[in-house]
Amino acid sequence: MGTTGKAVIPLLTPYKMGNFQLSHSNRCYKEEKEKEKEDRRIDLKKMGTTGKAVIPLLTPYKMGNFQLSHRIVLAPLTRQRSYGNVPQPHAILYYSQRTTNGGLLITEATGVSDSAQGYPFTPGIWTDEQVEAWKPIV
């Protein structure tokens, strides 16, 4: 509490810097940022058995029956690039550009019936033609 009986917010208190009188200070902000930097330095000092810093996103992870080489996952996207609700061959290139060894990709939204399409031009999986078109992609 300040002398007025009101709570003092250090960030907004007047501050004298050299010959200048400032209406407020960013001292607390700077102190907080310095503490964050120090915390990061400490985190980087935590080393794995190889002597290298451990980055949790890049460590292996077992998810059910899948052994992933890292924890980065490509979330499903709505690409709207299928004609007649049939996955197209260009999807092979699209997903292969985004894959990693031991990684996980979740494909785009896939309709389970003609009446369950959320967007036009999205692939389906309710006909034999659609199922066959997915096979080379996955």
Side-chain angles (χ1 to χ4, degrees), residues 20-121:
F20 301 99
Q21 179 68 38
L22 304 173
S23 62
H24 64 279
S25 165
N26 66 352
R27 285 179 297 178
C28 293
Y29 177 77
K30 286 180 182 176
E31 291 167 8
E32 206 170 287
K33 287 296 176 190
E34 286 302 316
K35 179 158 179 12
E36 286 176 13
K37 283 182 189 176
E38 182 59 30
D39 289 346
R40 272 182 277 173
R41 281 188 216 110
I42 290 168
D43 287 346
L44 289 175
K45 289 178 184 174
K46 294 177 184 172
M47 300 297 206
T49 55
T50 61
K52 295 180 181 177
V54 175
I55 302 171
L57 276 176
L58 301 178
T59 58
Y61 181 71
K62 181 151 177 65
M63 186 181 80
N65 293 330
F66 300 101
Q67 182 62 48
L68 306 176
S69 62
H70 53 75
R71 298 162 188 246
I72 301 169
V73 176
L74 178 68
L77 307 167
T78 303
R79 297 179 53 241
Q80 295 181 280
R81 293 200 171 47
S82 294
Y83 306 104
N85 303 111
V86 177
Q88 301 298 300
H90 63 262
I92 297 169
L93 176 62
Y94 175 84
Y95 287 113
S96 67
Q97 289 171 334
R98 288 154 181 82
T99 190
T100 58
N101 204 5
L104 175 64
L105 300 179
I106 302 173
T107 65
E108 59 201 286
T110 305
V112 294
S113 75
D114 189 30
S115 61
Q117 291 295 100
Y119 296 93
F121 305 110

Side-chain angles (χ1 to χ4, degrees), residues 7-23:
V8 175
I9 302 171
L11 200 61
L12 303 177
T13 56
Y15 178 66
K16 186 163 177 79
M17 186 174 79
N19 295 330
F20 301 99
Q21 179 68 38
L22 304 173
S23 62

